[in-house]
Amino acid sequence: MALVGIARLAAQSELLEAKRTVQYFEIPARSILNRTRAGMPFQWTINPYRGCEFGCKYCFARYTHEFMEMDAREFEDKIYAKSAAAHLLKQELRRLAREDSIAIGTATDPYQPAERRFGRTRAILEVFARERGWHVGVTTKSDLILRDVELLREVARRNVLGVNLTITTLDERLARLMEPQAPRPALRLEAVRKLSEAGIAAGVFPNPVMPWITDGEAELDSLAKAAREAGARWFGGGPLFLMPSAQQVFLPFLDERFPKLAARYRKMFARSAYVGREYKEMLRKRVQAIRDKHGLASGPIEYRPEVGTEEQGTLFEM
Ligand code: SF4
């Protein structure tokens, strides 16, 4: 079958470097801003990379590799750095309204290891540092963001900036199982502390909250308390979203590590990628009570995975 569109571009992408089992490519991008669907808390997304080396077992963004006719399991092995990201952003911002919000890192981690080498996220922030009046959010699991503290301060001086550190659990062992290549939770909390000390508005997202694994009241409470003590201003809290591409990885992971939960998850996600209304409501109330207890807001940008819009933007096409 002939490959078309983004799948053809991926197949033709230049191999930049191979490290361990991870391969890095440069992929030509025709645009860097993607429009979200109506009702999202942010109107545009920027994902400087395709794929993510952190390889979280629950990652919903694996579907973006399927767009390239690739196996969802290659998401953490084949990383694509988008070319000319900063140049494209400068041009595309001219077409946006200032009141729109722009979220960086919704389908990839903008501070995954590839960023050390390719600097695409930094190049994007450099554009915002020269702009004025934009609403920008950055979401990451990595303390590599501290490399850019001065630049982030510059962005925040001229725009409205919020940084979200994703911390699903304080349990280092559990984090290592679920997020094998991501920085330890303690390092992420330390990043929150240093960002806050630098005057950058930061919060913690415990997302996705996983039923019977990370949704315990005491666990979420401890996490919120630690976040608050580190200087977080908000605490997210959205449930797991498990579309088929994510199930391919997450369900076998449960079979291996949490065999007693595997059947419950299969039942829960048999007909939909979303948790049921009852569970969602229970979690919403639980997280809200914890937020209130610790004086935390719900976040500058609520976490809601968007699916099917990335790379299918209504205004810009890859
Ligand atoms: S850090 Fe985010 S994008 Fe990367 S694998 Fe984990 S969930 Fe997916």
Side-chain angles (χ1 to χ4, degrees):
M1 188 181 70
L3 296 174
V4 293
I6 188 68
R8 181 173 53 76
L9 290 175
Q12 294 171 347
S13 296
E14 183 193 349
L15 176 63
L16 295 178
E17 184 197 358
K19 184 185 119 206
R20 298 198 322 269
T21 59
V22 181
Q23 292 184 306
Y24 299 104
F25 301 86
E26 170 124 42
I27 192 164
R30 287 206 289 271
S31 79
I32 194 71
L33 280 159
N34 281 281
R35 187 82 161 108
T36 61
R37 63 172 184 264
M40 297 288 290
F42 41 84
Q43 288 69 49
W44 299 93
T45 62
I46 296 176
N47 286 297
Y49 301 95
R50 282 176 168 273
C52 179
E53 198 175 333
F54 289 155
C56 305
K57 302 295 181 188
Y58 50 76
C59 179
F60 84 93
R62 293 175 185 281
Y63 76 95
T64 58
H65 261 44
E66 290 184 328
F67 283 152
M68 300 192 292
E69 304 283 339
M70 295 170 70
D71 190 301
R73 282 164 290 208
E74 291 182 285
F75 183 77
E76 58 257 50
D77 298 332
K78 292 197 170 148
I79 311 299
Y80 293 82
K82 293 185 183 174
S83 61
H87 172 73
L88 288 168
L89 180 60
K90 268 186 265 177
Q91 292 183 331
E92 292 170 21
L93 280 177
R94 291 190 209 135
R95 290 186 255 167
L96 264 60
R98 300 269 161 178
E99 59 267 24
D100 284 355
S101 294
I102 303 166
I104 302 174
T106 57
T108 189
D109 195 305
Y111 285 100
Q112 60 178 296
E115 171 61 15
R116 278 184 208 284
R117 185 68 183 260
F118 306 116
R120 298 296 143 94
T121 301
R122 186 170 174 89
I124 284 163
L125 291 175
E126 282 168 352
V127 173
F128 283 112
R130 288 191 293 271
E131 290 277 334
R132 188 177 290 279
W134 297 105
H135 290 70
V136 182
V138 182
T139 302
T140 182
K141 282 193 175 90
S142 176
D143 57 334
L144 176 58
I145 194 169
L146 296 175
R147 177 200 67 183
D148 290 342
V149 164
E150 283 311 313
L151 180 56
L152 289 162
R153 279 161 60 104
E154 198 56 41
V155 173
R157 262 194 284 275
R158 301 162 66 105
N159 304 272
V160 179
L161 174 72
V163 175
N164 312 299
L165 265 292
T166 303
I167 308 175
T168 53
T169 177
L170 291 174
D171 182 333
E172 305 251 324
R173 207 182 123 264
L174 181 58
R176 181 60 66 224
L177 285 179
M178 297 191 302
E179 303 154 350
Q181 303 298 330
R184 289 181 289 114
L187 292 174
R188 298 180 225 171
L189 269 180
E190 192 53 24
V192 173
R193 186 183 314 283
K194 290 192 171 140
L195 288 165
S196 300
E197 285 170 1
I200 295 162
V204 166
F205 280 174
N207 314 324
V209 178
M210 282 160 273
W212 314 298
I213 300 177
T214 60
D215 66 349
E217 197 169 342
E219 285 80 2
L220 285 170
D221 186 78
S222 302
L223 183 50
K225 182 168 181 280
R228 185 79 181 118
E229 285 170 1
R233 298 187 188 183
W234 58 85
F235 189 70
L240 181 63
F241 169 70
L242 212 56
M243 58 197 295
S245 52
Q247 289 189 19
Q248 274 183 40
V249 174
F250 196 66
L251 294 178
F253 164 74
L254 289 179
D255 288 334
E256 192 188 336
R257 298 291 182 172
F258 298 89
K260 289 186 184 147
L261 290 181
R264 292 176 83 180
Y265 267 80
R266 281 194 169 84
K267 194 170 167 208
M268 192 173 210
F269 293 100
R271 283 201 224 115
S272 169
Y274 297 90
V275 297
R277 195 176 304 161
E278 208 175 306
Y279 179 87
K280 200 172 156 197
E281 188 54 15
M282 180 283 294
L283 184 63
R284 190 190 66 73
K285 286 186 182 153
R286 179 173 292 175
V287 172
Q288 185 59 56
I290 289 170
R291 266 190 212 123
D292 291 347
K293 178 177 167 189
H294 296 287
L296 289 155
S298 62
I301 295 176
E302 287 276 4
Y303 171 85
R304 264 186 275 167
E306 45 152 349
V307 174
T309 52
E310 165 74 357
E311 280 74 55
Q312 294 178 344
T314 51
L315 292 187
F316 300 117
E317 283 183 7
M318 287 291 291

